[in-house]
């Protein structure tokens, strides 16, 4: 199934189906995007820039895979800014970018099928992820309510960590593109272990 999507390219910002992403919208073209989405179907395609601009455009090249979000909450400010919360609907793969007159970019995209039930981690995978997350949080000085973490289901735990972890855009994209929850959890553990060996660096870089 293909669809037309207005997109919000934002490095480091991941959205997954059934997860939520709060955003503060202040740039004029993305204020226009939010207004347009509210007037139509409330959908926005979240996608990461891949890197520098291509030779024929002032806009950055994009990764192929992103996630459609539906505006679940919105607060409009007097000066035109918005605070919104996106609820993830489905992953999408870009087919082509469209030529448009809107200030924001639009693409033709294929919506990818979602499983009816989220994958469950094995007991060993869950334990490994929680253990490495504790070590990672301690090293970084993060205060975490571990009782609340323990009550999260596997999908919320894995995808929540993927969203908030301080990895670079390429690492974040690898997490988004991981095939299934177990593969994503394994990659998170590897990235946390790598990050722990490079404490002096601001971000993890995945080549």
């Amino acid at each position: 199934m293909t669809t037309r999507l207005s997109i919000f390219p934002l490095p480091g910002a991941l959205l997954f189906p059934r997860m939520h992403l709060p955003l503060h919208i202040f740039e004029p073209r993305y204020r226009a995007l939010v207004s347009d989405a509210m007037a139509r179907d409330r959908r926005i395609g979240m996608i990461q820039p891949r890197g520098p601009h291509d030779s024929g455009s002032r806009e950055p090249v994009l990764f192929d895979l992103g996630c459609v979000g539906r505006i679940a909450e919105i607060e409009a400010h007097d000066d035109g800014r918005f605070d919104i919360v996106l609820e993830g609907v489905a992953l999408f793969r870009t087919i082509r970018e469209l030529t448009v007159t809107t200030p924001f970019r639009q693409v033709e995209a294929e919506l990818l099928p979602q499983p009816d039930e989220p994958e469950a981690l094995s007991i060993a995978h869950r334990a490994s992820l929680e253990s490495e997350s504790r070590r990672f949080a301690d090293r970084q000085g993060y205060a975490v309510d571990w009782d609340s973490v323990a009550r999260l289901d596997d999908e919320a735990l894995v995808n929540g960590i993927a969203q908030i972890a301080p990895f670079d855009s390429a690492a974040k994209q690898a997490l988004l593109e991981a095939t299934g929850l177990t593969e994503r959890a394994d990659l998170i553990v590897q990235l946390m272990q790598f990050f722990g060996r490079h404490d002096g660096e601001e971000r993890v870089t995945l080549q």
Side-chain angles (χ1 to χ4, degrees):
M1 174 183 176
T2 63
T3 188
R4 185 186 186 107
L5 290 175
S6 301
I7 57 168
F8 185 5
L10 187 61
L14 288 193
L15 180 61
F16 293 92
R18 293 182 288 269
M19 298 294 289
H20 292 87
L21 179 66
L23 294 168
H24 177 64
I25 309 297
F26 59 90
E27 192 174 338
R29 61 175 165 174
Y30 297 125
R31 284 156 41 183
L33 185 156
V34 170
S35 296
D36 180 74
M38 291 301 295
R40 296 187 301 112
D41 56 10
R42 303 174 76 101
R43 297 192 310 170
I44 293 174
M46 293 301 302
I47 196 164
Q48 291 197 112
R50 183 188 294 272
H53 301 175
D54 63 31
S55 58
S57 172
R58 292 180 299 170
E59 300 287 3
V61 178
L62 304 173
F63 283 106
D64 293 332
L65 191 75
C67 184
V68 181
R70 179 183 179 276
I71 300 174
E73 299 177 25
I74 184 168
E75 180 182 358
H77 298 278
D78 292 341
D79 61 2
R81 294 175 297 117
F82 295 102
D83 288 312
I84 66 173
V85 176
L86 291 181
E87 180 180 11
V89 175
L91 297 179
F92 70 87
R93 190 172 301 281
T94 300
I95 298 172
R96 64 187 179 96
E97 184 158 358
L98 302 173
T99 301
V100 295
T101 58
T102 55
F104 47 86
R105 300 166 74 175
Q106 299 182 50
V107 299
E108 180 184 357
E110 175 191 10
L111 297 184
L112 304 182
Q114 306 298 316
D116 293 333
E117 294 293 333
E119 177 188 350
L121 298 179
S122 69
I123 294 175
H125 275 98
R126 173 85 186 209
S128 175
L129 179 61
E130 289 192 8
S131 176
E132 192 58 45
S133 297
R134 284 177 180 269
R135 285 193 290 268
F136 181 81
D138 288 344
R139 286 194 301 264
Q140 303 306 314
Y142 297 156
V144 178
D145 182 350
W146 293 111
D147 289 337
S148 295
V149 169
R151 291 193 291 270
L152 293 174
D153 62 44
D154 293 341
E155 183 181 56
L157 175 64
V158 173
N159 291 345
I161 292 173
Q163 284 184 319
I164 67 173
F167 307 143
D168 77 347
S169 294
K172 291 267 194 176
Q173 191 68 24
L175 290 171
L176 184 68
E177 297 185 4
T179 304
L181 213 59
T182 297
E183 181 179 312
R184 186 171 299 130
D186 286 343
L187 182 54
I188 288 171
V189 169
Q190 293 169 24
L191 288 167
M192 285 180 171
Q193 291 170 344
F194 178 83
F195 193 100
R197 295 195 296 271
H198 297 76
D199 277 337
E201 299 175 7
E202 283 191 5
R203 303 184 75 81
V204 174
T205 300
L206 185 68
Q207 298 297 333

